[in-house]
Amino acid sequence: MANIITYLKPVPVTKRILGFTLIIFGFLAIFTKSIGFGAVAVAFGIHFSSSEGSQIDITSKKYRKIWSIASIHIGKWKPCPEFEYISVFSTKESQRVNVVTATTNVTRSVILLNLFYGNKHQTVYKTTNKKDAFKIAEHFKVAFNIDILDATGTEKVWL
């Protein structure tokens, strides 16, 4: 049996409940009233209740970025390159929000986990919780026998 490590970005319970409620009402609308309205409701429901993350198959040395809903993971497996180290990196994420007459940018701090190989990297996880990020980085360290670079502060530190 494969030894697969799965990391998913947590989705708040209220957002997940809203998503599944929209999916149910969307399917009801498709079968009883309007296919268009129902399809839009299902699409929003899937978006609200889904999560992103990554999976690493340590046995076969493959990885994939996944999109997940209700424990169904979608993503294409790729062979793992020879990873050199994992970086825990703090950055800002910006999103533009448009309303009828106004536009604003919402910025939040996020922590990315990047696996480096050569002069390339693969982002394998995104979170807002620093403790969670280092816990996951430790799993990658053990799985691939690599070092962790803490780039969350002003000074970069090898762990």
Side-chain angles (χ1 to χ4, degrees), residues 33-128:
K33 297 185 186 236
S34 167
I35 293 175
F37 175 75
V40 169
V42 169
F44 274 111
I46 290 171
H47 174 72
F48 285 145
S49 57
S50 66
S51 182
E52 296 176 340
S54 62
Q55 285 185 316
I56 302 276
D57 185 342
I58 297 173
T59 307
S60 66
K61 299 292 184 188
K62 292 185 178 184
Y63 75 97
R64 68 179 178 170
K65 291 180 77 172
I66 58 173
W67 180 78
S68 180
I69 182 167
S71 298
I72 299 170
H73 307 304
I74 300 168
K76 185 177 178 184
W77 287 103
K78 299 176 186 176
C80 290
E82 195 65 35
F83 295 122
E84 298 170 13
Y85 65 95
I86 187 164
S87 170
V88 181
F89 177 71
S90 181
T91 188
K92 300 267 187 213
E93 182 177 66
S94 183
Q95 181 178 4
R96 182 177 293 241
V97 178
N98 295 317
V99 183
V100 177
T101 60
T103 300
T104 188
N105 286 328
V106 177
T107 304
R108 69 179 185 150
S109 295
V110 294
I111 298 172
L112 301 177
L113 270 67
N114 295 324
L115 283 169
F116 281 85
Y117 54 99
N119 48 346
K120 297 180 182 180
H121 74 276
Q122 176 68 43
T123 301
V124 291
Y125 193 69
K126 177 171 66 171
T127 185
T128 56

